[in-house]
């Protein structure tokens, strides 16, 4: 039977544009899977991830690559010149790939963080040593998602090359939904007032033996603030000016005769 690839996800990308809360899922392996119970391209996360976990629990290969891309949708894969992630598409089209599971629309949360531990624990039970690589790509921007996908595809190229060196590997491309929209929580003002009225008041306990009260006087209080220091300087200048003025007045010497009335003959003639 001919294996399906990422091209099937592209076929459903037109309907994916209207379903912003869903994401695609792709599982590739060089091992043979058992028959997929559900080939529906619209599945819940419980249905799709249950099958993926069941496949990984069999420990089909020795090498694993888990790549996550937050906020991607099936419509992001479609471009005029073909696949938006050419290296991923080429990895899916390799002749070594014997099994593939892809879903264009997966609804619900994705607990991708548990897949590595799931693979290692299940393979350890079978006494099989495996290598699990994880690549967490950054979120896509809202301006140029196609360019971001191409850059992220180049980031994955080294991981693809390392994983596909032998013919025993499994690739899980597990995009996560975008960040949830912020929902503001409004508090009823009446309830807020009641809460404020009935909140117990905190009573301050006076402790006369605190560390602050045991400090010296000059460490507890600041006596020479910049304002006080400036005032002292200005007062010294004014007092110095006053001192100079008083010393100038005290240095004046006027004889007592200058204040006596002249009663000599010359003064009498002037009066006549």
């Amino acid at each position: 039977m001919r294996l399906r690839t990422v091209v099937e996800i592209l076929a459903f990308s037109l309907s994916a544009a209207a379903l912003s809360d869903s994401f695609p899922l792709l599982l590739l392996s060089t091992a043979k899977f058992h028959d997929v119970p559900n080939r529906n391209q619209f599945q819940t996360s419980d249905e799709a991830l249950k099958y993926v976990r069941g496949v990984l629990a069999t420990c089909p290969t020795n090498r694993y690559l888990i790549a996550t891309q937050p906020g991607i949708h099936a419509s992001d894969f479609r471009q005029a010149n073909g696949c938006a992630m050419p290296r991923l598409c080429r990895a899916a089209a390799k002749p070594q790939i014997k099994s593939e599971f892809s879903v264009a629309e997966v609804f619900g949360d994705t607990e991708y963080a548990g897949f590595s531990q799931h693979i290692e624990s299940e393979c350890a039970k079978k006494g099989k040593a495996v290598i699990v690589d994880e690549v967490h790509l950054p979120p896509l921007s809202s301006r140029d998602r196609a360019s971001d996908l191409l850059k992220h595809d180049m980031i994955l190229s080294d991981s693809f090359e390392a994983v596909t060196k032998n013919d025993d590997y499994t690739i899980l491309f597990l995009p996560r939904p975008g960040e949830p929209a912020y929902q503001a929580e409004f508090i009823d003002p009446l309830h807020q007032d009641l809460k404020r009225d009935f909140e117990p008041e905190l009573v301050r306990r006076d402790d006369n033996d605190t560390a602050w009260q045991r400090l010296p006087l000059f460490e507890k209080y600041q006596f020479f603030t910049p304002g006080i220091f400036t005032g002292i300087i200005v007062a010294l200048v004014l007092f110095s000016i006053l001192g100079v003025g008083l010393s100038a007045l005290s240095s004046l010497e006027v004889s007592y005769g200058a204040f006596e009335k002249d009663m000599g003959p010359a003064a009498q003639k002037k009066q006549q």
Side-chain angles (χ1 to χ4, degrees):
M1 182 179 65
R2 185 178 179 180
L3 298 177
R4 299 180 305 163
T5 59
V6 183
V7 179
E8 290 196 352
I9 295 180
L10 299 178
F12 288 88
S13 61
L14 293 178
S15 61
L19 303 173
S20 59
D21 57 345
S22 63
F23 54 92
L25 182 146
L26 180 64
L27 178 65
L28 307 171
S29 180
T30 58
K32 184 67 176 177
F33 294 166
H34 52 78
D35 293 337
V36 181
N38 187 1
R39 287 288 184 178
N40 188 4
Q41 291 299 303
F42 298 88
Q43 298 185 25
T44 63
S45 60
D46 293 336
E47 295 173 343
L49 298 182
K50 181 180 179 181
Y51 176 77
V52 172
R53 289 182 180 275
V55 171
L56 297 178
T58 62
C59 197
T61 57
N62 294 326
R63 191 73 182 263
Y64 298 86
L65 172 62
I66 301 176
T68 62
Q69 174 60 76
I72 193 174
H73 305 293
S75 58
D76 295 323
F77 282 100
R78 177 181 289 274
Q79 282 189 353
N81 55 353
C83 181
M85 302 184 73
R87 292 170 179 81
L88 177 61
C89 294
R90 286 197 296 267
K94 282 182 175 293
Q96 293 86 354
I97 300 297
K98 297 179 181 179
S99 299
E100 175 268 338
F101 174 69
S102 61
V103 181
E105 297 292 336
V106 180
F107 302 91
D109 297 331
T110 306
E111 297 179 359
Y112 73 95
F115 278 101
S116 298
Q117 293 81 357
H118 178 68
I119 295 171
E120 293 174 353
S121 62
E122 293 298 329
C123 292
K125 294 177 182 178
K126 297 176 175 57
K128 190 175 181 180
V130 295
I131 300 175
V132 182
D133 298 327
E134 292 190 21
V135 179
H136 303 299
L137 300 173
L140 299 175
S141 63
S142 58
R143 296 181 179 179
D144 194 355
R145 298 171 67 88
S147 298
D148 289 345
L149 278 177
L150 188 59
K151 294 177 183 178
H152 297 175
D153 187 60
M154 295 178 64
I155 296 174
L156 289 174
S157 62
D158 294 337
S159 300
F160 286 149
E161 184 178 356
V163 170
T164 58
K165 284 183 178 180
N166 52 29
D167 295 337
D168 190 18
Y169 60 88
T170 299
I171 298 175
L172 176 61
F173 186 74
L174 189 67
R176 289 183 294 161
E179 296 295 332
Y182 171 75
Q183 296 180 354
E185 296 182 359
F186 299 95
I187 302 175
D188 190 353
L190 177 60
H191 292 172
Q192 185 69 14
D193 293 339
L194 292 175
K195 181 180 179 181
R196 182 170 57 251
D197 293 339
F198 285 97
E199 283 182 351
E201 296 183 359
L202 298 178
V203 180
R204 185 177 179 273
R205 180 176 178 270
D206 293 332
D207 191 356
N208 295 326
D209 193 18
T210 60
W212 181 80
Q213 292 183 353
R214 291 195 299 268
L215 292 175
L217 181 64
F218 286 93
E219 293 185 11
K220 289 195 297 183
Y221 303 100
Q222 184 178 4
F223 292 96
F224 296 101
T225 61
I228 295 177
F229 184 76
T230 304
I232 293 175
I233 297 297
V234 173
L236 291 176
V237 173
L238 294 177
F239 278 117
S240 62
I241 295 174
L242 180 61
V244 172
L246 292 177
S247 62
L249 290 176
S250 62
S251 64
L252 294 177
E253 296 180 357
V254 181
S255 61
Y256 291 101
F259 298 98
E260 293 180 356
K261 187 176 181 181
D262 189 7
M263 298 303 293
Q268 293 178 359
K269 290 181 180 180
K270 290 180 180 180
Q271 291 178 357
Q272 293 177 357

